Amino acid sequence: MNGGNAYCAILLAAGRAQRFGTDKLMHPLAGRSMACVSAAALQQVLPDTFAVTRPDQQALIEQLAAQGVPALKLGETNGGMGMSIAAGVAARADAKGWLVALADMPFIQSATIGRVLAALQNGSPIAAPVYRGQRGHPVGFSAAFGEALRALRSDAGARELLQRHAAEITLIACDDPGILADIDTPADLPAETSTELRG
């Protein structure tokens, strides 16, 4: 990982996607894999973007690397999303803060990501976008939460931490339904992309 005391983006890509039927992170969207599309939106705002993956995701790791996104390979993934976040934050413990994003959320607008980053840069302890009253992704954390993030192990990720520190979250209202659109099954994809599954 790159060094430097700056902000970075962590793309969580180590999940096993049981409900999708195939490797959803490799599913093609606009000529790229879903994970690469998700990564590209982050890179537009934070060139210092890296992915947390499993060691057996070699094809995905190679695609991300070709796009300039290095992979942090987890040796152990039984700790779920929490362990992925912890590993990513530990790898860049010197950062001023971290934007944590999910690789199966390819429709988030880069402008929304930029607003989350700006909130951190302006002193928010935690920042997250909101669409029609619902908080979404990515979530930005300042360096003050580094120790708590590195201690995560639950598959719930940072949910409990966010609940405990709800009063410290800067909520950013946006017109971006992509912040809520995580792809769990082919039915979650827009019609023009889900047809690619059927050839």
Side-chain angles (χ1 to χ4, degrees), residues 9-174:
I10 303 171
L11 184 71
L12 304 182
R16 294 192 177 273
Q18 304 287 349
R19 288 186 283 167
F20 197 81
T22 59
D23 185 351
K24 69 177 175 182
L25 298 186
M26 291 292 288
H27 180 71
L29 293 175
R32 286 186 287 185
S33 67
M34 184 185 301
C36 283
V37 172
S38 299
L42 292 168
Q43 287 177 285
Q44 287 184 44
V45 178
L46 271 173
D48 188 0
T49 292
F50 68 95
V52 179
T53 69
R54 302 188 314 273
D56 62 356
Q57 294 172 288
Q58 192 56 39
L60 176 61
I61 290 167
E62 290 175 2
Q63 282 193 8
L64 289 167
Q67 190 171 300
V69 179
L72 173 66
K73 302 173 191 176
L74 285 187
E76 170 61 62
T77 58
N78 288 339
M81 190 183 299
M83 182 169 285
S84 291
I85 295 171
V89 170
R92 285 297 311 276
D94 62 337
K96 289 182 179 178
W98 309 269
L99 262 64
V100 178
L102 306 181
D104 64 353
M105 298 189 71
F107 302 118
I108 299 173
Q109 299 168 16
S110 58
T112 302
I113 297 168
R115 292 180 66 192
V116 175
L117 175 61
L120 286 185
Q121 292 171 328
N122 290 330
S124 296
I126 304 174
V130 174
Y131 178 70
R132 295 185 178 178
Q134 292 189 64
R135 191 181 72 224
H137 292 271
V139 179
F141 297 91
S142 70
F145 287 93
E147 183 177 354
L149 291 169
R150 290 192 297 272
L152 294 176
R153 291 295 181 270
S154 165
D155 197 41
R159 190 178 306 154
E160 293 177 4
L161 186 154
L162 292 170
Q163 289 171 348
R164 288 198 308 271
H165 297 276
E168 297 172 70
I169 304 174
T170 297
L171 298 174
I172 303 162
C174 64

